[in-house]
Amino acid sequence: MERIPILQMGPFLLVSIQVDMHDQLAMTLQDDLTEQIVKARAKGVVIDISSLEVVDSFIGRILGNMAAMARVLDAETVVVGMQPAVAITLVELGLSLPGIRTALNIEKGMALLRHKLDAGGHRC
Amino acid sequence: MMTVSRRETRALRSSDDVVRVRQAVRQWAMAQGFSLVDQTKMVTAASELARNTVDYGGGGNVLLEALNEGSRRGLKLTFSDQGPGIADIELALRDGYTSGSGLGLGLGGARRLTNEFAIDSTPGGGTRVTITRWQCGDRR
């Protein structure tokens, strides 16, 4: 079955979505990620969406779900690399991704997670 | 005078078809000279409506039409299904309303992302939603 790979980098997990996901693939990713967070005892997740040319309300909901599930499992999520045209469209669609932390790229996302981990997991 | 320079119907039965329709709409929008932002808005609106057709309409199809009017070029999409229809269209267009598990942004979002929006539905008689977007974002 087709799957989005989840890579471990120290205490963090990295998910890079490189394909135009159909709905079932997005649901599978959501399940796989929650399992991996527990298995790897991950403290943070970076989701790279720089290759995604479309984020509609379904994918937006999946991103929100993943961040919420990670939070319940004591891991922070950062969504990185959103294309400007996608950001403009999302806001006009009525989706501002509340509760999702974002960063411009993977490097900045990782730095944000590392900073939070160094600060003793203190949450803002 | 408005003319249709190209016309094609595509089936919408599964979530794979939704992906294929997104890709087709992207290609058609590019061919019509849409900017990247305009392409993205049209593809996103198409994705919302295509999913509605599959999930709530029990499948159906979409008619793609490339429009020319003078120097203006546009893209018109008509989503049709023979599903249960929508009893209260005003309610269905409201943000946050959903009869399923979605966010309820599909119809209202698609209306905001396009220049022209029309919906025709009767309970038991299926649903037809038409959206049109013109390049340069004029006629807003």
Side-chain angles (χ1 to χ4, degrees):
Chain A
M1 201 178 99
E2 196 185 3
R3 280 193 138 81
I4 308 279
I6 301 170
L7 310 174
Q8 188 169 359
M9 296 179 76
F12 307 131
L13 297 178
L14 174 63
V15 181
S16 186
I17 304 170
Q18 306 272 347
V19 293
D20 189 352
M21 290 191 291
H22 56 80
D23 293 1
Q24 190 52 50
L25 184 57
M27 303 277 278
T28 304
L29 172 62
Q30 180 180 299
D31 294 347
D32 286 352
L33 183 64
T34 14
E35 265 176 47
Q36 275 302 314
I37 289 171
V38 175
K39 223 181 194 172
R41 297 168 187 270
K43 301 305 283 181
V45 180
V46 173
I47 303 173
D48 172 33
I49 60 165
S50 58
S51 298
L52 279 193
E53 292 178 335
V54 175
V55 174
D56 62 11
S57 65
F58 183 83
I59 299 298
R61 178 161 67 100
I62 294 289
L63 290 174
N65 284 356
M66 289 195 289
M69 288 168 188
R71 196 173 304 122
V72 175
L73 296 169
D74 194 29
E76 287 289 328
T77 302
V78 188
V79 171
V80 305
M82 186 183 293
Q83 295 183 14
V86 170
I88 292 167
T89 302
L90 264 185
V91 171
E92 201 155 315
L93 182 66
L95 206 63
S96 52
L97 303 182
I100 299 183
R101 201 171 280 276
T102 56
L104 279 183
N105 54 40
I106 294 180
E107 202 181 336
K108 285 191 161 68
M110 284 285 179
L112 202 142
L113 288 179
R114 225 171 278 125
H115 179 74
K116 289 188 77 71
L117 195 62
D118 291 346
H122 183 74
R123 300 234 152 80
C124 311
Chain B
M1 199 185 75
M2 194 168 78
T3 56
V4 177
S5 61
R6 193 179 162 204
R7 182 180 272 135
E8 192 182 307
T9 303
R10 291 197 171 225
L12 279 167
R13 301 263 161 235
S14 66
S15 72
D16 279 333
D17 289 337
V18 176
V19 173
R20 278 190 277 272
V21 163
R22 280 206 290 259
Q23 288 162 354
V25 171
R26 172 77 67 180
Q27 283 165 9
W28 282 55
M30 279 170 82
Q32 287 296 83
F34 282 32
S35 71
L36 181 60
V37 171
D38 283 345
Q39 288 170 33
T40 306
K41 286 179 178 177
M42 194 59 173
V43 174
T44 305
S47 185
E48 300 292 342
L49 298 176
R51 183 176 295 105
N52 281 355
T53 301
V54 172
D55 289 355
Y56 301 118
N61 59 58
V62 56
L63 170 68
L64 295 92
E65 290 173 290
L67 307 180
N68 295 330
E69 189 180 59
S71 62
R72 270 193 345 151
R73 293 200 284 175
L75 182 55
K76 180 179 175 184
L77 307 175
T78 306
F79 295 84
S80 309
D81 67 60
Q82 296 301 314
I86 302 169
D88 188 339
I89 291 175
E90 277 308 308
L91 183 64
L93 277 166
R94 205 177 294 162
D95 278 351
Y97 175 80
T98 176
S99 60
S101 56
L103 288 169
L105 290 171
L107 278 181
R111 180 162 66 170
R112 279 193 296 278
L113 291 171
T114 52
N115 300 125
E116 291 156 35
F117 177 97
I119 182 165
D120 183 16
S121 181
T122 42
T127 301
R128 195 173 65 206
V129 182
T130 306
I131 54 173
T132 306
R133 194 168 173 99
W134 297 93
Q135 73 183 126
C136 313
D138 48 3
R139 230 195 222 184
R140 295 214 45 156

